[in-house]
Amino acid sequence: MNLAIKHNEKLRWWEILVYLGLGLGYGLMLVSFYSQRLPWELSYKKAMMVIIAMGLVTALNVIWLIPAYMHKGKWATYFVLTVILILLISYLHEKLDQNLMMQYIDELSGREKRLFRGGPPPHMRKIFRFAFFGQYIQFALVLLLSTSYEMTKFAMGKAREALKLREETLQSELNFLKSQINPHFLFNALNNIYTLAYLKSDKAPELILKLSDMLRYILYDCKEERVEISKEIQYLEDYIALQQLKSEEPLNVEVDFGLFPEEMMVPPMIFIPFVENAFKHSKIEDRQHGWVKIQLLPKESGLAFEVENSIPQKDFTKDQVGGIGLHNVARRLELLYPQSHQLEIVEQEDRFRVRLQLKNNKA
């Protein structure tokens, strides 16, 4: 919070310096213009009055009118008040400018003062017209420029807030989806433990040990946004080994895990829902008809992951192929890999296949 406040303070001072720089530059231009027909000291005073009036218009507009009315959608009130402000500042500037010019005339010699009888000379009339009418255009233009800048800054700030809110919303959704994946796995694993314990199988302790390693991965590594792909592969191997313990004979499982660079990172638990779905719906216990094929290989563009499983002629599960696990991981991929992943899910009469490709910039 303190860092953000300091950043905003620096930005505000930077803006003030820009406003002062622009005012100084315009003031020098006015001095150059006035000094062509008037003494330098008088030109300096007239230019200072214009710059002060412009600064007053800008300050009141930026500090008061825009935050109090324009940002709150009170456009009509803002328009009326800005018109009143310009007219009032212009009127005050006109009176002060007249007094300044009259002081200048009073200080002239007798011969020069007689020139003003019946009105100022032609070259002075141009200056008076600029003082009487030019300020309206100048002050309106200054107000318009300051309003345009502040509204642009306000719109950019709103866009940043919307982007930050969107990122926070996506992160919350990702955390929610991840929290759903873990209980889903635990539910299936505990069912396996219960079955082996009920059968008083000697494999139950080994299964519990495997489950302990997998839970350690979930509790510690899955807190990170990305993990080494080697850890994700180890988790898949443990899961497959756990599934193998359910049968006395080797199951029909084909696995092909390629060699990946050590620095390659992936989101945790991004592959397991597909593998879990394959084992759940393939009826892998039927060694004659049930089978699962898993492949995870590096590619020049990133990686390629494919899972394929058999579908029994008669569905034996209570839910449909591809339940909450696949829905959640598909949503995670949309959030984590926008425009940089390809997910293909194909269900045929006798098999179910998932193909996933992730690009290098996200893998």
PDB file of all heavy atoms in Angstrom, residues 234-257:
ATOM      1  N   GLN A 234       6.491 -37.495 -12.185  1.00  0.00           N
ATOM      2  CA  GLN A 234       6.624 -38.415 -11.056  1.00  0.00           C
ATOM      3  C   GLN A 234       5.272 -38.669 -10.401  1.00  0.00           C
ATOM      4  O   GLN A 234       4.965 -39.799  -9.989  1.00  0.00           O
ATOM      5  CB  GLN A 234       7.598 -37.832 -10.025  1.00  0.00           C
ATOM      6  CG  GLN A 234       7.862 -38.737  -8.829  1.00  0.00           C
ATOM      7  CD  GLN A 234       8.477 -40.059  -9.236  1.00  0.00           C
ATOM      8  OE1 GLN A 234       9.477 -40.088  -9.943  1.00  0.00           O
ATOM      9  NE2 GLN A 234       7.874 -41.168  -8.790  1.00  0.00           N
ATOM     10  N   TYR A 235       4.471 -37.627 -10.314  1.00  0.00           N
ATOM     11  CA  TYR A 235       3.128 -37.785  -9.746  1.00  0.00           C
ATOM     12  C   TYR A 235       2.293 -38.726 -10.615  1.00  0.00           C
ATOM     13  O   TYR A 235       1.564 -39.590 -10.097  1.00  0.00           O
ATOM     14  CB  TYR A 235       2.456 -36.420  -9.636  1.00  0.00           C
ATOM     15  CG  TYR A 235       1.091 -36.461  -8.987  1.00  0.00           C
ATOM     16  CD1 TYR A 235       0.958 -36.380  -7.611  1.00  0.00           C
ATOM     17  CD2 TYR A 235      -0.067 -36.577  -9.755  1.00  0.00           C
ATOM     18  CE1 TYR A 235      -0.287 -36.416  -7.014  1.00  0.00           C
ATOM     19  CE2 TYR A 235      -1.306 -36.624  -9.166  1.00  0.00           C
ATOM     20  CZ  TYR A 235      -1.419 -36.536  -7.793  1.00  0.00           C
ATOM     21  OH  TYR A 235      -2.651 -36.587  -7.205  1.00  0.00           O
ATOM     22  N   LEU A 236       2.396 -38.570 -11.934  1.00  0.00           N
ATOM     23  CA  LEU A 236       1.659 -39.463 -12.832  1.00  0.00           C
ATOM     24  C   LEU A 236       2.133 -40.905 -12.674  1.00  0.00           C
ATOM     25  O   LEU A 236       1.321 -41.843 -12.655  1.00  0.00           O
ATOM     26  CB  LEU A 236       1.840 -39.003 -14.286  1.00  0.00           C
ATOM     27  CG  LEU A 236       1.247 -37.644 -14.657  1.00  0.00           C
ATOM     28  CD1 LEU A 236       1.585 -37.303 -16.107  1.00  0.00           C
ATOM     29  CD2 LEU A 236      -0.260 -37.623 -14.460  1.00  0.00           C
ATOM     30  N   GLU A 237       3.446 -41.096 -12.554  1.00  0.00           N
ATOM     31  CA  GLU A 237       3.973 -42.454 -12.391  1.00  0.00           C
ATOM     32  C   GLU A 237       3.496 -43.074 -11.083  1.00  0.00           C
ATOM     33  O   GLU A 237       3.152 -44.266 -11.034  1.00  0.00           O
ATOM     34  CB  GLU A 237       5.502 -42.417 -12.442  1.00  0.00           C
ATOM     35  CG  GLU A 237       6.052 -42.072 -13.828  1.00  0.00           C
ATOM     36  CD  GLU A 237       7.560 -41.938 -13.828  1.00  0.00           C
ATOM     37  OE1 GLU A 237       8.144 -41.778 -12.721  1.00  0.00           O
ATOM     38  OE2 GLU A 237       8.160 -41.958 -14.923  1.00  0.00           O
ATOM     39  N   ASP A 238       3.469 -42.286 -10.004  1.00  0.00           N
ATOM     40  CA  ASP A 238       2.965 -42.803  -8.736  1.00  0.00           C
ATOM     41  C   ASP A 238       1.487 -43.173  -8.841  1.00  0.00           C
ATOM     42  O   ASP A 238       1.044 -44.188  -8.283  1.00  0.00           O
ATOM     43  CB  ASP A 238       3.165 -41.766  -7.630  1.00  0.00           C
ATOM     44  CG  ASP A 238       4.619 -41.607  -7.238  1.00  0.00           C
ATOM     45  OD1 ASP A 238       5.403 -42.519  -7.562  1.00  0.00           O
ATOM     46  OD2 ASP A 238       4.967 -40.581  -6.621  1.00  0.00           O
ATOM     47  N   TYR A 239       0.746 -42.343  -9.536  1.00  0.00           N
ATOM     48  CA  TYR A 239      -0.679 -42.632  -9.684  1.00  0.00           C
ATOM     49  C   TYR A 239      -0.888 -43.934 -10.468  1.00  0.00           C
ATOM     50  O   TYR A 239      -1.730 -44.766 -10.101  1.00  0.00           O
ATOM     51  CB  TYR A 239      -1.374 -41.473 -10.397  1.00  0.00           C
ATOM     52  CG  TYR A 239      -2.858 -41.705 -10.591  1.00  0.00           C
ATOM     53  CD1 TYR A 239      -3.768 -41.380  -9.601  1.00  0.00           C
ATOM     54  CD2 TYR A 239      -3.348 -42.255 -11.781  1.00  0.00           C
ATOM     55  CE1 TYR A 239      -5.126 -41.598  -9.779  1.00  0.00           C
ATOM     56  CE2 TYR A 239      -4.693 -42.472 -11.968  1.00  0.00           C
ATOM     57  CZ  TYR A 239      -5.582 -42.143 -10.955  1.00  0.00           C
ATOM     58  OH  TYR A 239      -6.922 -42.376 -11.130  1.00  0.00           O
ATOM     59  N   ILE A 240      -0.118 -44.103 -11.547  1.00  0.00           N
ATOM     60  CA  ILE A 240      -0.245 -45.321 -12.349  1.00  0.00           C
ATOM     61  C   ILE A 240       0.165 -46.543 -11.527  1.00  0.00           C
ATOM     62  O   ILE A 240      -0.490 -47.601 -11.566  1.00  0.00           O
ATOM     63  CB  ILE A 240       0.599 -45.204 -13.626  1.00  0.00           C
ATOM     64  CG1 ILE A 240       0.040 -44.087 -14.515  1.00  0.00           C
ATOM     65  CG2 ILE A 240       0.610 -46.524 -14.396  1.00  0.00           C
ATOM     66  CD1 ILE A 240       0.942 -43.719 -15.680  1.00  0.00           C
ATOM     67  N   ALA A 241       1.254 -46.399 -10.757  1.00  0.00           N
ATOM     68  CA  ALA A 241       1.679 -47.500  -9.895  1.00  0.00           C
ATOM     69  C   ALA A 241       0.614 -47.837  -8.865  1.00  0.00           C
ATOM     70  O   ALA A 241       0.376 -49.011  -8.550  1.00  0.00           O
ATOM     71  CB  ALA A 241       3.001 -47.131  -9.210  1.00  0.00           C
ATOM     72  N   LEU A 242      -0.036 -46.819  -8.334  1.00  0.00           N
ATOM     73  CA  LEU A 242      -1.117 -47.041  -7.373  1.00  0.00           C
ATOM     74  C   LEU A 242      -2.258 -47.816  -8.019  1.00  0.00           C
ATOM     75  O   LEU A 242      -2.837 -48.727  -7.407  1.00  0.00           O
ATOM     76  CB  LEU A 242      -1.596 -45.688  -6.835  1.00  0.00           C
ATOM     77  CG  LEU A 242      -2.668 -45.672  -5.749  1.00  0.00           C
ATOM     78  CD1 LEU A 242      -2.441 -44.465  -4.840  1.00  0.00           C
ATOM     79  CD2 LEU A 242      -4.070 -45.595  -6.348  1.00  0.00           C
ATOM     80  N   GLN A 243      -2.566 -47.469  -9.261  1.00  0.00           N
ATOM     81  CA  GLN A 243      -3.632 -48.176  -9.960  1.00  0.00           C
ATOM     82  C   GLN A 243      -3.235 -49.640 -10.237  1.00  0.00           C
ATOM     83  O   GLN A 243      -4.076 -50.531 -10.202  1.00  0.00           O
ATOM     84  CB  GLN A 243      -3.949 -47.461 -11.283  1.00  0.00           C
ATOM     85  CG  GLN A 243      -4.530 -46.064 -11.122  1.00  0.00           C
ATOM     86  CD  GLN A 243      -5.872 -46.073 -10.430  1.00  0.00           C
ATOM     87  OE1 GLN A 243      -6.678 -46.988 -10.616  1.00  0.00           O
ATOM     88  NE2 GLN A 243      -6.121 -45.055  -9.610  1.00  0.00           N
ATOM     89  N   GLN A 244      -1.954 -49.881 -10.489  1.00  0.00           N
ATOM     90  CA  GLN A 244      -1.487 -51.247 -10.770  1.00  0.00           C
ATOM     91  C   GLN A 244      -1.656 -52.150  -9.544  1.00  0.00           C
ATOM     92  O   GLN A 244      -1.819 -53.365  -9.680  1.00  0.00           O
ATOM     93  CB  GLN A 244      -0.010 -51.221 -11.185  1.00  0.00           C
ATOM     94  CG  GLN A 244       0.247 -50.597 -12.539  1.00  0.00           C
ATOM     95  CD  GLN A 244      -0.055 -51.535 -13.707  1.00  0.00           C
ATOM     96  OE1 GLN A 244      -0.585 -52.632 -13.533  1.00  0.00           O
ATOM     97  NE2 GLN A 244       0.275 -51.084 -14.904  1.00  0.00           N
ATOM     98  N   LEU A 245      -1.610 -51.575  -8.344  1.00  0.00           N
ATOM     99  CA  LEU A 245      -1.742 -52.363  -7.129  1.00  0.00           C
ATOM    100  C   LEU A 245      -3.126 -52.955  -6.948  1.00  0.00           C
ATOM    101  O   LEU A 245      -3.339 -53.826  -6.108  1.00  0.00           O
ATOM    102  CB  LEU A 245      -1.393 -51.503  -5.904  1.00  0.00           C
ATOM    103  CG  LEU A 245       0.077 -51.073  -5.774  1.00  0.00           C
ATOM    104  CD1 LEU A 245       0.244 -50.126  -4.609  1.00  0.00           C
ATOM    105  CD2 LEU A 245       0.962 -52.289  -5.612  1.00  0.00           C
ATOM    106  N   LYS A 246      -4.082 -52.485  -7.748  1.00  0.00           N
ATOM    107  CA  LYS A 246      -5.449 -52.983  -7.615  1.00  0.00           C
ATOM    108  C   LYS A 246      -5.630 -54.363  -8.230  1.00  0.00           C
ATOM    109  O   LYS A 246      -6.682 -54.985  -8.077  1.00  0.00           O
ATOM    110  CB  LYS A 246      -6.413 -51.991  -8.283  1.00  0.00           C
ATOM    111  CG  LYS A 246      -6.464 -50.638  -7.593  1.00  0.00           C
ATOM    112  CD  LYS A 246      -7.132 -49.581  -8.451  1.00  0.00           C
ATOM    113  CE  LYS A 246      -8.529 -49.948  -8.834  1.00  0.00           C
ATOM    114  NZ  LYS A 246      -9.193 -48.899  -9.629  1.00  0.00           N
ATOM    115  N   SER A 247      -4.627 -54.844  -8.946  1.00  0.00           N
ATOM    116  CA  SER A 247      -4.771 -56.132  -9.631  1.00  0.00           C
ATOM    117  C   SER A 247      -3.544 -57.001  -9.367  1.00  0.00           C
ATOM    118  O   SER A 247      -2.423 -56.502  -9.209  1.00  0.00           O
ATOM    119  CB  SER A 247      -4.942 -55.905 -11.138  1.00  0.00           C
ATOM    120  OG  SER A 247      -4.948 -57.134 -11.844  1.00  0.00           O
ATOM    121  N   GLU A 248      -3.779 -58.304  -9.300  1.00  0.00           N
ATOM    122  CA  GLU A 248      -2.672 -59.257  -9.131  1.00  0.00           C
ATOM    123  C   GLU A 248      -1.824 -59.339 -10.389  1.00  0.00           C
ATOM    124  O   GLU A 248      -0.609 -59.538 -10.317  1.00  0.00           O
ATOM    125  CB  GLU A 248      -3.242 -60.639  -8.791  1.00  0.00           C
ATOM    126  CG  GLU A 248      -3.971 -60.704  -7.453  1.00  0.00           C
ATOM    127  CD  GLU A 248      -3.030 -60.557  -6.274  1.00  0.00           C
ATOM    128  OE1 GLU A 248      -1.812 -60.804  -6.462  1.00  0.00           O
ATOM    129  OE2 GLU A 248      -3.496 -60.173  -5.182  1.00  0.00           O
ATOM    130  N   GLU A 249      -2.426 -59.169 -11.540  1.00  0.00           N
ATOM    131  CA  GLU A 249      -1.735 -59.241 -12.818  1.00  0.00           C
ATOM    132  C   GLU A 249      -1.495 -57.822 -13.355  1.00  0.00           C
ATOM    133  O   GLU A 249      -2.267 -56.903 -13.071  1.00  0.00           O
ATOM    134  CB  GLU A 249      -2.558 -60.048 -13.830  1.00  0.00           C
ATOM    135  CG  GLU A 249      -2.838 -61.472 -13.406  1.00  0.00           C
ATOM    136  CD  GLU A 249      -1.571 -62.306 -13.374  1.00  0.00           C
ATOM    137  OE1 GLU A 249      -0.618 -61.966 -14.123  1.00  0.00           O
ATOM    138  OE2 GLU A 249      -1.535 -63.298 -12.615  1.00  0.00           O
ATOM    139  N   PRO A 250      -0.438 -57.634 -14.145  1.00  0.00           N
ATOM    140  CA  PRO A 250      -0.181 -56.313 -14.737  1.00  0.00           C
ATOM    141  C   PRO A 250      -1.369 -55.857 -15.588  1.00  0.00           C
ATOM    142  O   PRO A 250      -1.939 -56.637 -16.359  1.00  0.00           O
ATOM    143  CB  PRO A 250       1.068 -56.535 -15.578  1.00  0.00           C
ATOM    144  CG  PRO A 250       1.722 -57.740 -14.991  1.00  0.00           C
ATOM    145  CD  PRO A 250       0.608 -58.611 -14.488  1.00  0.00           C
ATOM    146  N   LEU A 251      -1.709 -54.602 -15.455  1.00  0.00           N
ATOM    147  CA  LEU A 251      -2.811 -54.041 -16.231  1.00  0.00           C
ATOM    148  C   LEU A 251      -2.313 -53.642 -17.622  1.00  0.00           C
ATOM    149  O   LEU A 251      -1.119 -53.457 -17.853  1.00  0.00           O
ATOM    150  CB  LEU A 251      -3.387 -52.820 -15.516  1.00  0.00           C
ATOM    151  CG  LEU A 251      -3.944 -53.065 -14.110  1.00  0.00           C
ATOM    152  CD1 LEU A 251      -4.407 -51.749 -13.484  1.00  0.00           C
ATOM    153  CD2 LEU A 251      -5.102 -54.072 -14.143  1.00  0.00           C
ATOM    154  N   ASN A 252      -3.263 -53.518 -18.551  1.00  0.00           N
ATOM    155  CA  ASN A 252      -2.929 -53.124 -19.926  1.00  0.00           C
ATOM    156  C   ASN A 252      -2.731 -51.599 -19.997  1.00  0.00           C
ATOM    157  O   ASN A 252      -3.616 -50.859 -20.439  1.00  0.00           O
ATOM    158  CB  ASN A 252      -4.035 -53.566 -20.882  1.00  0.00           C
ATOM    159  CG  ASN A 252      -4.107 -55.076 -21.002  1.00  0.00           C
ATOM    160  OD1 ASN A 252      -3.090 -55.760 -20.935  1.00  0.00           O
ATOM    161  ND2 ASN A 252      -5.319 -55.604 -21.174  1.00  0.00           N
ATOM    162  N   VAL A 253      -1.585 -51.180 -19.527  1.00  0.00           N
ATOM    163  CA  VAL A 253      -1.263 -49.745 -19.494  1.00  0.00           C
ATOM    164  C   VAL A 253       0.037 -49.527 -20.256  1.00  0.00           C
ATOM    165  O   VAL A 253       1.064 -50.125 -19.922  1.00  0.00           O
ATOM    166  CB  VAL A 253      -1.128 -49.224 -18.055  1.00  0.00           C
ATOM    167  CG1 VAL A 253      -0.789 -47.736 -18.066  1.00  0.00           C
ATOM    168  CG2 VAL A 253      -2.414 -49.469 -17.273  1.00  0.00           C
ATOM    169  N   GLU A 254      -0.007 -48.668 -21.273  1.00  0.00           N
ATOM    170  CA  GLU A 254       1.184 -48.286 -22.034  1.00  0.00           C
ATOM    171  C   GLU A 254       1.539 -46.836 -21.699  1.00  0.00           C
ATOM    172  O   GLU A 254       0.686 -45.948 -21.819  1.00  0.00           O
ATOM    173  CB  GLU A 254       0.941 -48.443 -23.536  1.00  0.00           C
ATOM    174  CG  GLU A 254       0.688 -49.877 -23.987  1.00  0.00           C
ATOM    175  CD  GLU A 254       0.494 -49.973 -25.484  1.00  0.00           C
ATOM    176  OE1 GLU A 254       0.821 -48.967 -26.176  1.00  0.00           O
ATOM    177  OE2 GLU A 254       0.014 -51.015 -25.956  1.00  0.00           O
ATOM    178  N   VAL A 255       2.779 -46.632 -21.277  1.00  0.00           N
ATOM    179  CA  VAL A 255       3.220 -45.298 -20.853  1.00  0.00           C
ATOM    180  C   VAL A 255       4.469 -44.913 -21.635  1.00  0.00           C
ATOM    181  O   VAL A 255       5.386 -45.721 -21.773  1.00  0.00           O
ATOM    182  CB  VAL A 255       3.514 -45.266 -19.342  1.00  0.00           C
ATOM    183  CG1 VAL A 255       4.026 -43.885 -18.941  1.00  0.00           C
ATOM    184  CG2 VAL A 255       2.262 -45.615 -18.550  1.00  0.00           C
ATOM    185  N   ASP A 256       4.497 -43.684 -22.130  1.00  0.00           N
ATOM    186  CA  ASP A 256       5.654 -43.163 -22.848  1.00  0.00           C
ATOM    187  C   ASP A 256       5.889 -41.722 -22.401  1.00  0.00           C
ATOM    188  O   ASP A 256       5.219 -40.790 -22.856  1.00  0.00           O
ATOM    189  CB  ASP A 256       5.422 -43.230 -24.360  1.00  0.00           C
ATOM    190  CG  ASP A 256       6.655 -42.782 -25.150  1.00  0.00           C
ATOM    191  OD1 ASP A 256       7.729 -42.625 -24.534  1.00  0.00           O
ATOM    192  OD2 ASP A 256       6.520 -42.600 -26.376  1.00  0.00           O
ATOM    193  N   PHE A 257       6.820 -41.548 -21.466  1.00  0.00           N
ATOM    194  CA  PHE A 257       7.185 -40.229 -20.972  1.00  0.00           C
ATOM    195  C   PHE A 257       8.553 -39.857 -21.541  1.00  0.00           C
ATOM    196  O   PHE A 257       9.537 -40.560 -21.319  1.00  0.00           O
ATOM    197  CB  PHE A 257       7.253 -40.195 -19.444  1.00  0.00           C
ATOM    198  CG  PHE A 257       5.898 -40.350 -18.789  1.00  0.00           C
ATOM    199  CD1 PHE A 257       5.777 -40.962 -17.553  1.00  0.00           C
ATOM    200  CD2 PHE A 257       4.753 -39.890 -19.402  1.00  0.00           C
ATOM    201  CE1 PHE A 257       4.546 -41.098 -16.940  1.00  0.00           C
ATOM    202  CE2 PHE A 257       3.509 -40.021 -18.815  1.00  0.00           C
ATOM    203  CZ  PHE A 257       3.403 -40.633 -17.574  1.00  0.00           C
TER     204      PHE A 257
END
